[in-house]
Amino acid sequence: MINCAVIIPALNPTESLIEYVKTLANDVQQIIVINDGSKQELAYIFTKLTNISRCTVLTHEINKGKGRALKTAFQYFLTDHSELNGVITADADGQHSIPDVLKLAEELSNTEEEIILGVRDFSQSHVPVRSYIGNRITSSLFQLFYGGRLEDTQTGLRGIPNKVLSQIVELKGERYEYEMNMLIFAKKRGLQLREIPIQTLYFDNNAGSHYNSVLDSMKVFIKLISGLLKYSFSTLASGVVDILSFILLTSLLLAAFPLKSRLFFATLVARILSSSFNFYLNRKLVFRGENKLSESIVKYYILFIGLIIASYLLVLSANLLIGANVILAKICIDTTLGILSYQVQLHWVFKNRNKKLNKQLAGENHDI
C-alpha cells in the first residue's frame, strides 16, 4: 500500500470513474474526489464513490474551477491525512492511466522537496493539434520567462510532497492557471521539477476536457507573462524616478552649480536613486530573490554598469559603422539589452541557489 493520497477533481464524470477509483484503492492509502458542481443527475456516481474503501468525496455545490477544487482537497488532506507522504493529482477523464498514477506515487515516496510531473509525448500522431500547439507555446514561454525547459507544462498528473503542499495550497488561481502557478512557484523557490514519461492518452479528440480554449488559455497566458509585466512596470517606474530626480536636482537642489557640474551630478544622483529603486522592485516584486542581499547588490551593479557600457559602445558602433540614427539605434539596442537583462537577473542576479524549501516561506503571503 503506497503511503500517499490520490486527488481527483471531477466535473460531470462518466461511470468509468467508479471502476478507476476502485482499482486505485487497492494500492494507495487514500483517494479524495472533488465533485466540482457536477450535474444533479450524476450524483449517483459520487454516491457510489463514497462507498469505496478509503475514498472520500468532497463537494462544491456549484462549479468553482479546477484550481479551487484542488485547493479544497489539499486543505482537507493537510487537516486529516498529513501523516501521508503527499498527494498525486490526476484527472477524472481517464487520461492518466492507473500504472502511471502508481508510478508517480512510488516516486513520491522517495522525495520530500521536489514536484514530480507526469510528462506526455506531444509528438505522437494522435495528439490533438490544439493540445500540441498550446503546450509548445506555454513550454517556450515558461522557459523564456522562468528558466528551465519543461516538456509538458499543462500536465494534470503531478506528485506533490507533504512538505511542499502547505505552500502550494496558498497560491492564487481558481481554474487551470493554478497549475501554472505551481510551476512558477517551484522555479522561483528553487524547487526541483522532475519529469517522468507517462502514456499519452486522448479520447474522442479530448472532447471530455473542460478546458476553455479562450478563457483558460488567456488566464494561463497572463500568468505566464506576469513576470515580464512586473519587470516592465519596474523598468517604467524606475525611469520615472530617474527623470523626476533629474528635474528636481537640476532645477532646485543643484541650481547654483555651474551647468556642466550640475548636469553631471544630477545625472549621477538620479541614476543612483532610480537604480536603487529598480533593484528593490526587482528583488521584492519581480524575481523575489532570497539569496544574500549583498550578493544580489554586487551582481546587480555589475550588470547595471555592463549594460551602460554595452549600450554606449553598441549605439556608437551602429552610428559609425552603418550610419544608423543614434536615437533609433538606442531604442532598438536598449530594448534588446532590456530583454537580456531580464534573463541575466532571472538566472544570475536573483536566482535562488538553495533547492531546499526555505523555512521562511511558512509565514509568507504568496501572491504569485
Side-chain angles (χ1 to χ4, degrees):
M1 190 69 65
I2 304 174
N3 193 41
C4 73
V6 175
I7 291 176
I8 307 174
L11 173 61
N12 301 325
T14 63
E15 289 190 15
S16 61
L17 180 60
I18 300 172
E19 192 60 37
Y20 185 82
V21 170
K22 281 184 179 179
T23 306
L24 277 175
N26 294 323
D27 294 287
V28 297
Q29 288 282 4
Q30 181 67 32
I31 299 172
I32 305 169
V33 177
I34 309 91
N35 175 6
D36 189 28
S38 297
K39 297 175 183 178
Q40 188 58 40
E41 55 263 35
L42 298 177
Y44 74 94
I45 294 177
F46 297 99
T47 299
K48 290 184 178 181
L49 289 174
T50 60
N51 294 325
I52 298 175
S53 176
R54 292 187 298 279
C55 178
T56 299
V57 175
L58 307 176
T59 301
H60 289 165
E61 295 300 329
I62 60 173
N63 176 249
K64 295 185 178 182
K66 187 178 184 182
R68 175 49 56 186
L70 288 172
K71 284 189 275 190
T72 295
F74 292 164
Q75 194 61 62
Y76 170 79
F77 172 87
L78 290 170
T79 302
D80 291 72
H81 298 285
S82 59
E83 76 282 359
L84 302 180
N85 292 335
V87 301
I88 302 294
T89 64
D91 293 344
D93 56 7
Q95 289 191 10
H96 300 141
S97 72
I98 289 176
D100 284 334
V101 173
L102 297 179
K103 178 165 64 173
L104 260 71
E106 290 284 3
E107 293 292 335
L108 183 64
S109 63
N110 298 319
T111 184
E112 290 186 350
E113 296 174 345
E114 63 180 359
I115 296 175
I116 305 171
L117 305 175
V119 177
R120 297 163 291 182
D121 181 2
F122 285 89
S123 66
Q124 296 183 19
S125 59
H126 68 284
V127 174
V129 174
R130 69 172 184 173
S131 297
Y132 172 80
I133 295 176
N135 192 75
R136 291 302 92 192
I137 292 174
T138 55
S139 292
S140 297
L141 289 175
F142 187 86
Q143 181 178 21
L144 175 64
F145 296 139
Y146 301 103
R149 181 166 181 79
L150 295 177
E151 294 300 323
D152 188 356
T153 57
Q154 297 174 320
T155 179
L157 184 57
R158 304 178 178 196
I160 308 171
N162 199 337
K163 186 175 181 180
V164 177
L165 195 61
S166 60
Q167 309 305 321
I168 296 293
V169 75
E170 299 294 334
L171 300 178
K172 290 185 177 181
E174 300 299 298
R175 294 179 62 83
Y176 290 91
E177 76 276 9
Y178 176 67
E179 293 180 303
M180 181 59 68
N181 246 348
M182 288 189 202
L183 304 182
I184 295 173
F185 170 84
K187 292 302 295 184
K188 286 188 174 184
R189 300 306 176 196
L191 298 177
Q192 182 70 29
L193 293 169
R194 181 152 58 96
E195 297 181 300
I196 295 178
I198 61 172
Q199 298 179 64
T200 308
L201 304 175
Y202 284 97
F203 305 104
D204 193 19
N205 201 37
N206 206 24
S209 174
H210 298 287
Y211 186 89
N212 186 303
S213 299
V214 177
L215 178 62
D216 289 322
S217 294
M218 183 62 66
K219 287 184 176 181
V220 170
F221 176 74
I222 291 174
K223 188 55 59 179
L224 270 171
I225 66 171
S226 61
L228 183 62
L229 294 176
K230 291 178 181 177
Y231 177 72
S232 299
F233 166 77
S234 171
T235 302
L236 290 174
S238 302
V240 171
V241 170
D242 184 76
I243 293 172
L244 292 179
S245 300
F246 181 82
I247 293 173
L248 179 63
L249 288 162
T250 54
S251 302
L252 297 175
L253 301 181
L254 301 178
F257 282 56
L259 179 60
K260 289 184 179 180
S261 299
R262 190 193 326 161
L263 292 179
F264 173 78
F265 286 111
T267 300
L268 177 63
V269 174
R271 189 53 58 91
I272 290 174
L273 291 174
S274 64
S275 63
S276 299
F277 182 64
N278 182 255
F279 172 83
Y280 175 81
L281 288 180
N282 286 355
R283 190 168 193 267
K284 294 296 184 180
L285 175 67
V286 182
F287 302 103
R288 301 182 70 177
E290 292 174 355
N291 44 337
K292 290 183 178 179
L293 177 62
S294 58
E295 178 185 350
S296 296
I297 290 175
V298 171
K299 291 180 177 179
Y300 176 85
Y301 278 101
I302 289 175
L303 174 64
F304 176 75
I305 294 171
L307 289 174
I308 292 177
I309 296 173
S311 176
Y312 169 75
L313 292 177
L314 290 172
V315 171
L316 180 63
S317 299
N319 178 257
L320 294 178
L321 297 178
I322 61 176
N325 179 274
V326 172
I327 295 177
L328 181 61
K330 183 167 179 58
I331 292 174
C332 295
I333 289 170
D334 282 0
T335 299
T336 303
L337 290 176
I339 296 173
L340 175 63
S341 174
Y342 178 89
Q343 291 295 316
V344 174
Q345 291 182 66
L346 172 66
H347 294 290
W348 185 55
V349 177
F350 298 110
K351 182 176 181 180
N352 293 308
R353 301 289 181 185
N354 186 10
K355 291 188 177 182
K356 292 184 177 296
L357 189 63
N358 208 316
K359 292 182 180 179
Q360 69 192 52
L361 292 178
E364 188 173 319
N365 178 26
H366 301 294
D367 58 355
I368 294 177

